Amino acid sequence: MPPALLAVLAGMFFALASFFTRLGLERGTTDAAVRTAAVVAVAVSWPLFFFLAPWTSLSSWAVLAFVAAGVCGPFLGRLLLFTGLQRVGVAVTTPIYNVQVLFTAVAGVLFFSETLTPFIGIGTVAMLVGLALLSLDASGGNRDRPRRTLDLLFPLGAGFFIAITYVFRKWGLQITPEVFFGLAVMSVTALVTSMGMGAVKRQGLSLPGGRTLVMFAIGGAMAITAHLCVLGALLRGDLLIVVPLQNMEPLFAVVLSRLFLRRLELVTPAVAAGAALVVTGGVLVNL
């Protein structure tokens, strides 16, 4: 499958992951959401690895790159992202954390000798204007709690850590081009890290029950599917191609929020315009 199509599919599945996780966060906690997503990822990725990838890859130095990626993205990035979903909602959080496009574009130039074009200036301005619209319109987002400006730092931090994880994924795939191996290492790293944090905080490490567990589990399944698409796209294409197309995620997220989360979230014209500008800026940055 072409890397461009894989990247677009990744954006769609990430948006679905945020959508189902937001439903679960009505009654669940962010820690439980991260832990459930990690359990689902381990349950899916390790059988795929054992049946479809060479076991000898476990002795590769790529393990270190994928462990670092697991800490930055599936754990830290996801924890901040879920906190943002809980505090400001899907429609606002998703476009803000997709500022990762700008971070990743710079990383591609610094670490992988990829090339930026003059469009980076126009794209950066478009993204900043979009972020301003999202941050200034306090009426958009969750209906059940007032928004604070500091709450927007959570999705912004998620974007930063998720951008870093792209760098580590790319390095790992350059050393050992095995998608299922990378996914398995990242998933178990995220699970171990989340359980370790829960133990330090003296929290129960059990999973939630009922509808909350179902929503978190579906969200985790959507996320692991998205990660498979991302790794497949990175294996075949450059960061400058993969990340902007995956940045279609905010548009999918705004549509899902507008259609199915009206009870929980308000999608204002400013929020929709901000999301569109972020996506446009992400594409321009990488032309």
Side-chain angles (χ1 to χ4, degrees):
M1 190 177 294
L5 179 57
L6 285 171
V8 172
L9 287 175
M12 182 187 71
F13 284 118
F14 275 130
L16 286 169
S18 294
F19 168 75
F20 284 108
T21 301
R22 175 66 183 90
L23 292 176
L25 286 170
E26 283 190 81
R27 298 182 180 179
T29 65
T30 53
D31 289 335
V34 171
R35 194 176 307 121
T36 303
V39 169
V40 171
V42 168
V44 172
S45 62
W46 278 93
L48 289 174
F49 166 68
F50 283 126
F51 286 108
L52 300 176
W55 293 17
T56 54
S57 54
L58 288 171
S59 62
S60 167
W61 285 105
V63 168
L64 298 179
F66 289 126
V67 166
V71 173
C72 290
F75 175 62
L76 286 174
R78 186 179 283 164
L79 182 62
L80 292 170
L81 174 62
F82 289 174
T83 303
L85 293 176
Q86 189 175 51
R87 297 196 178 198
V88 298
V90 173
V92 174
T93 293
T94 306
I96 291 178
Y97 98 86
N98 267 272
V99 75
Q100 63 178 284
V101 173
L102 185 58
F103 298 140
T104 309
V106 174
V109 173
L110 292 178
F111 301 112
F112 301 110
S113 300
E114 297 180 2
T115 303
L116 289 178
T117 72
F119 285 104
I120 184 173
I122 303 173
T124 300
V125 171
M127 293 185 74
L128 291 176
V129 173
L131 292 175
L133 286 174
L134 289 163
S135 60
L136 292 176
D137 184 11
S139 62
N142 282 349
R143 295 178 183 270
D144 59 349
R145 60 186 301 166
R147 183 209 295 181
R148 298 178 302 173
T149 302
L150 289 178
D151 290 337
L152 302 179
L153 293 178
F154 290 102
L156 192 61
F160 174 75
F161 282 109
I162 290 172
I164 292 176
T165 200
Y166 276 105
V167 175
F168 286 123
R169 289 176 186 178
K170 188 69 175 178
W171 273 337
L173 289 171
Q174 286 182 341
I175 298 171
T176 303
E178 293 291 342
V179 170
F180 298 115
F181 163 62
L183 193 66
V185 174
M186 287 192 301
S187 62
V188 77
T189 300
L191 178 59
V192 170
T193 309
S194 63
M195 293 183 68
M197 187 187 73
V200 170
K201 295 168 66 175
R202 297 182 179 180
Q203 295 178 338
L205 299 180
S206 59
L207 298 178
R211 180 178 182 273
T212 299
L213 176 60
V214 173
M215 292 299 103
F216 285 164
I218 295 175
M222 295 295 102
I224 196 69
T225 304
H227 284 298
L228 275 171
C229 292
V230 167
L231 286 171
L234 288 176
L235 185 61
R236 298 173 177 86
D238 290 340
L239 288 176
L240 295 181
I241 295 174
V242 173
V243 178
L245 291 174
Q246 186 205 313
N247 193 51
M248 297 292 288
E249 177 186 353
L251 297 184
F252 291 121
V254 168
V255 171
L256 286 170
S257 179
R258 183 70 180 85
L259 292 178
F260 303 110
L261 293 177
R262 293 184 182 183
R263 177 175 56 87
L264 300 174
E265 300 184 11
L266 176 63
V267 179
T268 64
V271 168
L277 281 170
V278 169
V279 172
T280 301
V283 173
L284 290 172
V285 160
N286 295 277
L287 284 178

